[in-house]
């Protein structure tokens, strides 16, 4: 019996366990008559709280793409909620930018259920919480439910019953209120609080989220009266009777809805109105950014970068930038954080994410099924739908558009005739995304693909009556937005005037937009996206013109064809057929291959890599790469994301595919980026890593790369990286076992005498052909030892030693030694590039030496380089005096002129820098 009591005590302890996240069930066949019945059964309210906590703690799929870093507790920031009077809310269609009005004050949801003068006896309160799309209604509801489960808010309600109006609207069978509750919450079946007896329902709070998804009719003739919670009714009728207070009048109700559905509930059935207004000041926005970006991992370096991002964001918001107008909506704060997380915290360990995927997830979080398709690329509107332009404005236009704050950047500077405010997309990249979505969804209706001046030309060719209508509406939104939102369907004459194209034209548009001549020297698209969020700090660039839209349009078009994004769009009612994807892909392959046969600037190549990455089509990527023999990304500001994109794209190629050259010089590479780039390095013969920030620790990775059996690197250029003697010592350990490397450049890496001597000892068993150790502070003895080792070597034919502190005697010795010391030597002559002169003659390699100095002098110690150039002039003057031939002396003069020009260039740069 004692054992039985212990088991019962243990069971009761489990049921009282407050830890959320564990669902327990009563075991069957376990009875004891010595205990009271109420203690042997679990409390259904406790079960309800535990299950609600589990359900509402579950993050949507859109959040899981960040690697599970976020939770509702760590990332919630309360939006501004203002109580409104009934007359203020009637017909209110203002966006969240128009916030504070006289008499309105900030409240919490809990305060809305406090007793007021409107409290009527034994009746519960009906609170209507409304707001524009993206202001945070669903987030507030989630936090409210979690807090109630934890016992921190609305504690005077013993039972909270949340319903999704979208789910209720899809139910076709009639059911009683109690059946509706038990169908979703089985543990509340036949709960006495819902019986309608007495005033037990006073402790119940119903929560109906998303009322705009239901059709409610409060007319007596259309919706019968009912006060019995056991009577079967259509769900909409049950909700109407709850709001009328015929059904469970003691219960309180919280309804959330959009602005467009505000008038669906008559004022007499609403006790209190409250408007959720999002984030009304930069401090709320900053708190949100901090909660999302800073709480990633315990990684100190990442947190430091996150702090820097938050500061840049805050500065941009304080300037009242276009971003500040967008971030009044918490949804755009989410999009901003998601994009920055993608740009700055993408690595090989993170889930595969794309920019197109982020924007598609953004739409899925804010719009329901069929909602997006109705307004973007959808079927021609019916008369009933055309009467819902107010819905369109409040739920779509006010969400996507914001007043233009930066005149001349996105729209022409001229105001409209009446001085009305012009509107632009809240986030510039959203315009490109929706334009791409319109075209891809439109399939054969893609005449408006470019959404630039072609639209204006087409409109100019139609009849005068249509022009008049368009001119009126264009005072509110730009013409290009007409095309994006399918508004041209409202004017059949105009629509018929614009000819349709086939799917091949979509591919041509993507290729044409990708390789536009006017965009050749812009920043790559990822930098453009970052600048649109963080702003441009320092010297301001030239103002954008209307003819310079974002270059994301073709990239989004490719990304939307990816299967994962098509699945998300299918959930929104936007279907992209597989046959359409296949046709566009075939045409795109042809145009991309044709364009890539021409030389492309680094920025355009980077954009192409982003397009292929967004497409996530390995077969297409491999076929396009087959036409690329070199990838030169010189001066591109590489980030972890760009490195990941490059590696991901090259990983789609077969193991036998190799680039002739991968040029990543002057790309601000770091050791961490090299690790991300490892898969890309396996697909290249010539690797150029000059002018980066690679230190000694990077040599460990480079050593392993040279020892990798899958690596085929023939040329490795590491000029102007602070490798130092310790780093080069690690790197050189790979030489004896590597048989592919033929050209190694260690110019200006801090090699020193010790490094040169160690290199001389390592060269005996390697297939190296050319070695560059110029500008490394190598003295006479070490240089002579290195040259001797090179002359003993069977394959080395050239050694670069210029800009080292060599004496005149040392230089002469380098040229005098024509054969190796050992008697068994091959007698080979090695070209030693130590100066522009060789003894009393001009070196054959004087021009390459000066070219290298001109190209690199800006990043070197100017005084030291000038000193070496003066030594060259002295050597040239002495050699010229030794010549008897007029033509030889003339040749010396020519070389002297080149040296003097280089010296003057350096002196001029020095004076400019000092100013």
């Amino acid at each position: 019996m004692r054992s039985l009591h212990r088991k019962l005590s243990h069971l009761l302890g489990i049921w009282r366990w407050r830890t959320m996240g564990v669902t327990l069930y009563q075991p069957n066949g376990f009875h004891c008559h010595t205990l009271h019945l109420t203690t042997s059964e679990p409390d259904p309210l406790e079960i309800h709280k535990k299950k609600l906590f589990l359900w509402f703690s579950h993050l949507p799929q859109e959040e899981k793409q960040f690697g599970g870093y976020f939770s509702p507790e760590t990332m919630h920031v309360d939006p501004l909620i203002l109580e409104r009077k009934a007359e203020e809310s009637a017909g209110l269609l203002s966006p969240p930018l128009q916030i504070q009005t006289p008499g309105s004050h900030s409240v919490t949801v809990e305060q809305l259920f406090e007793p007021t003068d409107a409290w009527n006896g034994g009746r519960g309160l009906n609170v209507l919480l409304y707001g524009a799309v993206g202001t945070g209604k669903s987030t507030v509801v989630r936090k409210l439910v979690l807090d109630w489960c934890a016992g921190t808010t609305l504690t005077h309600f013993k039972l909270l019953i949340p319903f999704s109006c979208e789910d209720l609207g899809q139910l076709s069978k009639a059911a009683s209120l109690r059946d509706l509750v038990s169908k979703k919450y089985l543990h509340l079946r036949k709960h006495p609080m819902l019986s309608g007896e007495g005033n037990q329902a006073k402790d119940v709070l119903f929560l109906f989220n998303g009322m705009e998804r239901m059709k409610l009719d409060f007319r007596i003739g259309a919706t019968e009266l009912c006060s019995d919670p056991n009577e079967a009714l259509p769900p909409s009728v049950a909700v109407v009777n709850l709001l009328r207070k015929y059904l469970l009048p003691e219960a309180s109700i919280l309804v959330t809805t959009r602005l467009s559905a505000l008038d669906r509930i008559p004022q007499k059935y609403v006790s209190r109105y409250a408007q959720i207004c999002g984030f009304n000041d930069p401090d709320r926005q900053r708190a949100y950014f901090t909660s999302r970006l800073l709480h990633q991992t315990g990684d100190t370096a990442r947190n430091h970068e996150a702090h820097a991002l938050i500061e840049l964001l805050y500065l941009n918001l304080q300037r009242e930038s276009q971003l500040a107008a967008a971030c009044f909506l918490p949804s755009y704060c989410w999009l901003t954080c998601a994009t920055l997380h993608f740009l700055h915290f993408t690595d090989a360990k993170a889930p595969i994410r794309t920019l197109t995927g982020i924007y598609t997830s953004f739409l899925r979080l804010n719009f329901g099924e069929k909602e997006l398709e109705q307004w973007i690329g959808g079927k021609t509107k019916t008369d009933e739908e055309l009467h819902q332009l107010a819905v369109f404005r409040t739920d779509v236009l006010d969400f996507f558009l914001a007043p233009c704050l930066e005149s001349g950047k996105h729209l022409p500077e001229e105001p409209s005739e009446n001085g009305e405010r012009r509107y632009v997309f809240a986030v510039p990249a959203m315009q490109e995304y929706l334009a791409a979505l319109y075209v891809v969804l439109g399939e054969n209706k893609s005449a408006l693909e470019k959404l630039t001046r072609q639209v204006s030309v087409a409109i100019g060719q139609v009849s005068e009556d249509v022009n008049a209508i368009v001119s009126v509406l264009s005072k509110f939104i730009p013409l290009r937005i007409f095309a994006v939102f399918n508004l041209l369907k409202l004017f059949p004459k105009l629509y018929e005037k614009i000819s349709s194209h086939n799917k091949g034209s979509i591919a041509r548009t993507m290729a044409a937009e990708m390789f536009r001549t006017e965009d050749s020297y812009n920043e790559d698209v990822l930098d453009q996206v970052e600048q649109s969020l963080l702003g441009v700090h320092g010297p301001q660039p030239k103002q954008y013109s209307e003819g310079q839209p974002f270059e994301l349009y073709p990239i989004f078009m490719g990304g939307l064809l990816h299967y994962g994004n098509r699945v998300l769009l299918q959930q929104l009612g936007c279907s992209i057929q597989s046959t359409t994807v296949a046709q566009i892909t075939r045409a795109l392959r042809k145009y991309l291959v044709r364009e890539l046969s021409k030389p492309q600037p680094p920025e355009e190549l980077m954009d192409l890599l982003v397009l292929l990455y967004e497409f996530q089509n390995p077969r297409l990527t491999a076929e396009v790469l087959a036409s690329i023999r070199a990838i030169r990304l010189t001066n591109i500001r590489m980030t972890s994301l760009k490195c990941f994109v490059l590696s991901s794209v090259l990983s789609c190629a077969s193991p036998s595919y190799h680039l002739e050259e991968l040029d990543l010089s002057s790309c601000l590479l770091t050791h961490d980026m090299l690790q991300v780039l490892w898969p890309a390095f396996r697909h290249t013969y010539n690797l150029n890593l000059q002018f980066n920030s690679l230190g000694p620790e990077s040599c460990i990775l480079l050593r392993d790369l040279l020892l990798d059996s899958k690596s085929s690197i023939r040329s490795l250029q590491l000029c102007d990286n602070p490798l130092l003697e310790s780093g080069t010592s690690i790197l050189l350990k790979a030489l004896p076992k590597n048989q592919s490397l033929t050209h190694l450049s260690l110019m200006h890496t801090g090699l020193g005498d010790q490094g040169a001597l160690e290199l001389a000892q390592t060269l005996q068993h390697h297939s190296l052909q050319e070695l560059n150790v110029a500008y490394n502070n190598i003295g006479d003895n070490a240089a002579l030892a290195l040259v001797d080792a090179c002359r003993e070597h069977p394959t080395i034919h050239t050694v670069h030693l210029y800009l080292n502190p060599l004496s005149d005697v040392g230089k002469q010795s380098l040229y005098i030694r024509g054969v190796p010391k050992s008697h068994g030597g091959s007698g080979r002559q090695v070209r030693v590039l130590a100066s522009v002169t060789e003894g009393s003659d001009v070196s054959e390699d004087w021009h390459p030496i000066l070219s290298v100095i001109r190209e690199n002098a800006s990043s070197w110690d100017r005084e030291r380089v000038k000193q070496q150039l003066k030594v060259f002039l002295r050597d040239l003057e002495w050699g010229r005096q030794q010549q008897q031939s007029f033509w030889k002396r003339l040749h010396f003069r020519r070389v002297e002129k080149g040296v003097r020009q280089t010296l003057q260039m350096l002196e001029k740069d020095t004076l400019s820098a000092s100013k």
Side-chain angles (χ1 to χ4, degrees):
M1 192 67 180
R2 290 181 180 177
S3 174
L4 183 59
H5 273 287
R6 282 198 300 270
K7 291 181 180 179
L8 282 172
S9 300
H10 178 66
L11 176 62
L12 292 173
I14 291 177
W15 282 117
R16 294 193 182 101
W17 191 19
R18 298 284 181 171
T19 303
M20 303 302 182
V22 180
T23 304
L24 300 173
Y25 298 92
Q26 181 181 9
N28 294 324
F30 196 82
H31 304 281
C32 180
H33 296 287
T34 60
L35 293 178
H36 194 274
L37 180 62
T38 57
T39 60
S40 63
E41 294 183 0
D43 184 356
L45 296 183
E46 290 299 313
I47 296 176
H48 185 61
K49 288 185 177 181
K50 292 173 183 177
K51 289 196 172 185
L52 277 186
F53 191 91
L54 277 175
W55 292 332
F56 281 83
S57 295
H58 177 74
L59 291 176
Q61 188 65 35
E62 288 75 14
E63 297 287 7
K64 293 180 181 179
Q65 62 182 311
F66 301 105
Y69 291 129
F70 303 127
S71 66
E73 294 83 3
T74 60
M75 65 186 183
H76 181 78
V77 176
D78 290 322
L80 176 67
I81 300 177
L82 298 177
E83 184 169 9
R84 299 290 194 186
K85 298 178 181 179
E87 56 270 19
E88 289 179 325
S89 60
L92 182 62
L93 296 177
S94 61
L97 295 179
Q98 302 171 6
I99 293 179
Q100 207 96 19
T101 58
S104 61
H105 60 278
S106 175
V107 294
T108 64
V109 176
E110 187 172 23
Q111 291 172 339
L112 292 172
F113 287 94
E114 293 176 351
T116 63
D117 295 338
W119 186 278
N120 184 7
R123 293 196 171 193
L125 285 176
N126 289 349
V127 175
L128 182 57
L129 179 63
Y130 64 91
V133 178
T135 48
K137 299 183 295 298
S138 297
T139 305
V140 168
V141 166
R142 177 191 296 175
K143 187 65 164 58
L144 178 69
V145 173
L146 291 175
D147 288 347
W148 178 81
C149 293
T152 59
T153 190
L154 296 174
T155 54
H156 55 286
F157 291 112
K158 296 179 181 179
L159 181 59
L160 172 63
I161 305 178
F163 278 106
S164 165
C165 291
E166 183 176 11
D167 294 341
L168 291 177
Q170 293 175 352
L171 297 178
S172 56
K173 293 183 179 180
S176 67
L177 176 63
R178 300 191 76 174
D179 287 340
L180 283 177
V181 173
S182 61
K183 184 176 183 179
K184 188 175 181 66
Y185 307 104
L186 181 61
H187 47 275
L188 296 179
R189 185 166 62 93
K190 297 182 179 180
H191 196 281
M193 287 188 182
L194 303 175
S195 65
E197 298 176 0
N199 63 347
Q200 295 185 79
K202 66 181 177 61
D203 296 325
V204 178
L205 172 62
F206 286 96
L207 196 164
F208 295 102
N209 186 32
M211 183 62 72
E212 71 278 356
R213 305 292 175 85
M214 289 189 73
K215 293 183 178 180
L216 302 181
D217 193 340
F218 283 82
R219 294 174 299 175
I220 299 294
T223 305
E224 60 182 294
L225 300 177
C226 175
S227 60
D228 184 2
N230 296 303
E231 183 180 345
L233 300 168
S236 60
V237 175
V239 174
V240 167
N241 279 284
L242 280 171
L243 291 168
R244 283 172 171 167
K245 296 304 180 185
Y246 275 91
L247 189 58
L248 299 183
E250 301 85 7
S252 294
I253 302 174
L254 173 62
V255 176
T256 68
T257 187
R258 294 180 182 174
L259 290 171
S260 58
L262 190 57
D263 56 356
R264 292 188 186 179
I265 303 177
Q267 292 184 18
K268 63 182 178 180
Y269 298 126
V270 179
S271 308
R272 303 179 77 170
Y273 286 92
Q275 182 180 10
I276 182 168
C277 302
F279 299 150
N280 65 317
D281 59 78
D283 290 332
R284 289 180 191 261
Q285 297 162 4
R286 181 173 185 166
Y288 183 90
F289 295 141
T290 301
S291 68
R292 298 286 288 192
L293 294 174
L294 197 56
H295 297 131
Q296 303 300 325
T297 62
D299 191 331
T300 305
R302 283 202 166 189
N303 276 337
H304 179 74
E305 184 176 1
H307 273 295
L309 288 176
I310 293 167
E311 288 302 318
L312 290 175
L313 270 172
Y314 190 60
L315 288 174
N316 201 17
L317 294 171
Q318 286 181 316
R319 290 203 302 260
E320 296 185 357
S321 62
Q322 198 65 53
L323 179 68
C327 285
F328 272 90
L329 295 178
S331 286
Y332 278 108
C333 290
W334 181 93
L335 180 62
T336 298
C337 288
T339 305
L340 287 175
H341 193 279
F342 170 69
L343 291 173
H344 288 269
F345 300 117
T346 295
D347 54 37
K349 299 178 183 178
I352 295 295
R353 292 173 295 161
T354 63
L355 194 62
T356 313
I358 289 174
Y359 274 74
T360 306
S361 298
F362 172 75
L363 292 184
R364 187 174 178 272
L365 284 171
N366 290 282
F367 292 94
E369 185 178 359
K370 303 296 182 183
E371 205 171 9
L372 188 66
E373 193 272 343
Q374 178 184 5
W375 295 111
I376 301 178
K379 299 177 181 179
T380 304
K381 309 293 183 292
T382 64
D383 290 340
E384 180 182 354
E385 289 171 331
L386 293 181
H387 288 302
Q388 298 178 354
L389 287 180
V391 177
F392 172 69
R393 178 187 168 187
T394 57
D395 289 356
V396 180
L397 285 188
D398 281 347
F399 177 72
F400 286 113
L401 302 183
C404 181
L405 300 180
E406 301 176 53
S407 178
K409 184 169 182 179
H410 301 288
L411 291 173
E413 293 187 8
E414 310 86 88
S416 59
E417 295 178 4
N418 300 329
E420 296 177 356
R421 203 163 200 180
R422 301 285 288 187
Y423 284 75
V424 296
F425 277 90
V427 173
M430 184 59 71
Q431 172 179 318
E432 308 299 309
Y433 177 86
L434 292 178
L437 180 60
Y438 177 86
V439 171
V440 175
L441 289 179
E443 299 182 6
N444 291 325
K445 307 189 298 289
S446 52
L448 306 181
E449 290 167 333
K450 293 192 176 181
L451 294 181
T452 54
R453 296 175 183 174
Q454 292 184 3
V455 179
S456 301
V457 172
I459 290 176
Q461 295 173 350
V462 300
S463 60
E464 293 297 327
D465 56 336
V466 175
N467 272 334
I469 298 175
V470 171
S471 65
V472 172
L473 291 180
S474 65
K475 294 177 181 179
F476 176 66
I477 51 178
L479 294 178
R480 68 178 64 185
I481 298 175
F482 278 33
V484 171
F485 287 116
N486 207 16
L487 286 183
L488 289 174
K489 293 289 189 66
L490 302 179
F491 314 112
K493 293 183 180 179
L494 174 60
Y495 189 74
E496 292 170 4
K497 287 287 184 179
I498 303 176
S499 60
S500 63
H501 293 272
N502 57 25
K503 298 173 183 65
S505 67
I506 297 179
R508 283 195 297 273
T509 297
M510 294 170 67
E513 290 291 315
M514 181 63 65
F515 300 107
R516 293 191 307 176
T517 305
E518 60 267 30
D519 296 334
S520 296
Y521 300 99
N522 291 354
E523 292 90 350
D524 61 82
V525 291
L526 295 180
D527 279 354
Q528 291 181 38
V529 172
E530 183 177 74
Q531 289 177 10
S532 72
L533 299 178
L534 302 180
V536 180
H537 301 271
Q540 295 294 314
K542 294 181 179 179
Q543 289 292 319
Y544 293 99
S545 67
E546 190 178 10
Q548 291 179 315
F550 246 144
E551 296 171 52
L552 276 169
Y553 172 48
I555 290 173
F556 277 141
M557 290 180 70
L560 287 169
L561 300 180
H562 171 46
Y563 176 76
N565 290 320
R566 286 190 285 133
V567 169
L568 289 178
L569 289 171
Q570 184 70 41
Q571 296 172 6
L572 289 169
C574 302
S575 177
I576 302 175
Q577 302 299 325
S578 297
T579 54
T580 301
V581 176
Q583 292 179 35
I584 296 176
T585 302
R586 283 195 298 269
L588 177 63
R589 181 190 304 113
K590 179 177 66 174
Y591 290 110
L592 285 179
V593 169
R594 185 185 66 186
E595 292 295 334
L596 287 170
S597 62
K598 312 168 188 175
Q600 299 295 336
E603 292 79 10
E604 296 298 300
L605 272 179
M606 189 69 241
D607 291 349
L608 169 68
L609 294 172
V610 175
L611 169 63
L612 294 175
Y613 173 78
E614 292 283 323
F615 211 144
Q616 292 286 305
N617 186 325
R619 182 177 178 181
L620 170 67
T621 300
E623 292 174 352
V624 172
L625 285 175
S627 63
I628 301 177
R629 305 313 306 161
I631 293 180
R632 299 182 178 92
L633 300 176
T634 307
N635 294 319
I636 293 292
R637 184 184 67 89
M638 294 298 286
T639 62
S640 295
L641 172 61
K642 294 177 187 177
C643 293
F644 183 73
V645 167
L646 175 58
S647 289
S648 299
V649 169
L650 288 178
S651 295
C652 294
S654 65
S656 61
Y657 171 79
H658 286 86
L659 295 167
E660 286 299 324
E661 181 183 11
L662 177 58
D663 188 350
L664 296 172
S665 58
S666 302
C667 289
L668 303 178
L669 293 177
T670 62
H671 173 69
D672 292 337
M673 294 181 194
L674 283 190
Q675 293 179 317
V676 179
L677 286 167
W678 180 284
F681 293 159
R682 289 177 169 176
H683 289 280
T684 184
Y685 289 129
N686 302 313
L687 180 59
N688 188 344
L689 298 175
Q690 298 183 124
F691 308 105
N692 285 295
S693 303
L694 307 179
E697 70 280 359
S698 299
C699 292
I700 299 175
L701 189 144
L702 294 172
R703 176 202 62 194
D704 295 341
L705 178 65
L706 293 176
L707 293 175
D708 186 2
S709 59
K710 297 181 180 179
S711 173
S712 302
I713 292 179
R714 299 170 182 170
S715 173
L716 179 60
Q717 301 183 56
L718 296 170
C719 169
D720 270 81
N721 285 292
L723 305 180
L724 307 180
E725 291 182 10
S726 59
T728 53
S729 176
I730 296 172
L731 180 65
L732 295 177
K733 292 178 181 178
L735 293 185
K737 297 182 181 180
N738 177 278
Q739 298 301 318
S740 64
L741 191 67
T742 58
H743 292 73
L744 177 62
S745 174
L746 297 172
M747 180 170 63
H748 198 213
T749 56
L751 189 64
D753 284 346
Q754 187 61 37
L757 292 172
E758 185 174 351
L759 178 58
Q761 297 173 1
T762 312
L763 289 177
Q764 299 174 6
H765 309 287
H766 195 266
S767 58
L768 208 60
Q769 297 178 11
E770 185 170 352
L771 179 63
N772 189 340
V773 291
Y775 197 5
N776 265 308
N777 203 29
I778 299 175
D780 290 352
N781 295 333
L784 290 170
L786 181 59
V787 171
D788 284 341
C790 291
R791 286 172 175 160
E792 294 282 358
H793 197 279
T795 57
I796 292 181
H797 55 71
T798 305
V799 181
H800 300 252
L801 279 166
Y802 42 87
L803 297 182
N804 282 303
L806 302 174
S807 66
D808 293 340
V809 175
K811 293 178 198 176
Q812 292 296 329
S813 300
L814 291 175
Y815 300 127
I816 290 173
R817 300 186 184 187
V819 295
K821 293 180 180 179
S822 65
H823 298 291
S826 62
R828 295 174 56 257
Q829 177 72 40
V830 176
R831 293 172 60 200
V832 180
L833 282 63
S835 178
V836 291
T837 60
E838 296 180 2
S840 59
D841 291 325
V842 173
S843 171
E844 295 180 358
D845 301 298
W846 69 271
H847 192 273
I849 293 175
L850 286 184
S851 297
V852 171
I853 294 174
R854 290 193 189 103
E855 292 173 3
N856 305 319
S858 60
S859 61
W860 289 346
D861 183 350
R862 287 189 176 91
E863 292 302 321
R864 182 173 176 180
V865 174
K866 286 193 291 184
Q867 182 181 1
Q868 287 295 319
L869 290 174
K870 291 176 181 178
V871 172
F872 287 172
L873 288 175
R874 187 189 63 193
D875 293 344
L876 287 168
E877 185 178 358
W878 178 84
R880 175 167 49 81
Q881 293 173 355
Q882 309 304 313
Q883 303 300 321
Q884 301 296 323
S885 168
F886 169 78
W887 298 110
K888 283 192 174 183
R889 291 199 300 272
L890 188 63
H891 185 44
F892 269 87
R893 294 280 188 187
R894 178 189 171 194
V895 178
E896 283 184 54
K897 181 179 179 182
V899 175
R900 293 187 188 280
Q901 288 177 344
T902 305
L903 186 60
Q904 291 172 0
M905 179 192 71
L906 281 176
E907 290 175 344
K908 183 178 180 181
D909 291 344
T910 303
L911 289 174
S912 300
S914 63
K915 292 180 180 180

